Amino acid sequence: MDGVRTAEEIARLAGVTAADVTAAVAQATVWVRRSQAQVQSLTPEQTQVVLNGLTQVLGPMAEFAIEDALEELGEQIPLGTFLSRLASPLTEIQRQTFAQLLRARHLL
C-alpha cells in the first residue's frame, strides 16, 4: 500500500483478491504494533500478562523470577529486554510454551 493505489489495484497487479491485500495489511499492522511494543517501556499491564504466562510455565516461581528481573533491570526497561531476561534460564520447551502464551496475548 502506497497511499496512491487502491487495494483493488494492488490486488490486480499482485494477482490476488482485494480481501487478500486487506488481510495482509491488517497482519502487517499487528506485527508492527508488536515490534514497537518490544522497544517501549514495560507497562504494569504487560507485567501482569507476562506473570500470567510465566506462571503457566514455571508455576509459583514465576513471581520470584519477575521480581528478580525487575530488581536487576529496573522498571523502565523495554518489554523485549524484560522478556529476554525471563526466558534465558528456561528450557527450550519452556521458552516455546512461554512464547506461545505471549503470542496468544498479543505481546509477541
Side-chain angles (χ1 to χ4, degrees):
M1 305 292 288
D2 60 9
V4 177
R5 293 186 176 112
T6 66
E8 289 79 16
E9 288 177 280
I10 293 169
R12 183 179 50 76
L13 292 169
V16 297
T17 68
D20 291 336
V21 172
T22 302
V25 170
Q27 184 61 53
T29 301
V30 169
W31 290 335
V32 167
R33 286 188 185 135
R34 288 179 184 172
S35 176
Q36 289 172 335
Q38 297 300 307
V39 296
Q40 294 175 349
S41 292
L42 184 66
T43 67
E45 294 81 14
Q46 290 169 329
T47 304
Q48 187 59 50
V49 170
V50 171
L51 173 61
N52 293 341
L54 195 58
T55 299
Q56 290 184 42
V57 173
L58 289 180
M61 294 304 294
E63 191 168 341
F64 296 110
I66 287 181
E67 287 175 8
D68 288 348
L70 290 173
E71 187 175 301
E72 178 184 323
L73 300 170
E75 294 194 20
Q76 296 299 315
I77 56 169
L79 174 62
T81 302
F82 183 58
L83 294 177
S84 292
R85 166 62 176 78
L86 292 171
S88 65
L90 300 178
T91 66
E92 183 60 30
I93 292 171
Q94 288 173 322
R95 271 194 296 275
Q96 289 174 5
T97 302
F98 186 44
Q100 289 172 343
L101 292 167
L102 295 180
R103 273 189 215 101
R105 292 169 176 87
H106 308 292
L107 280 187
L108 286 182

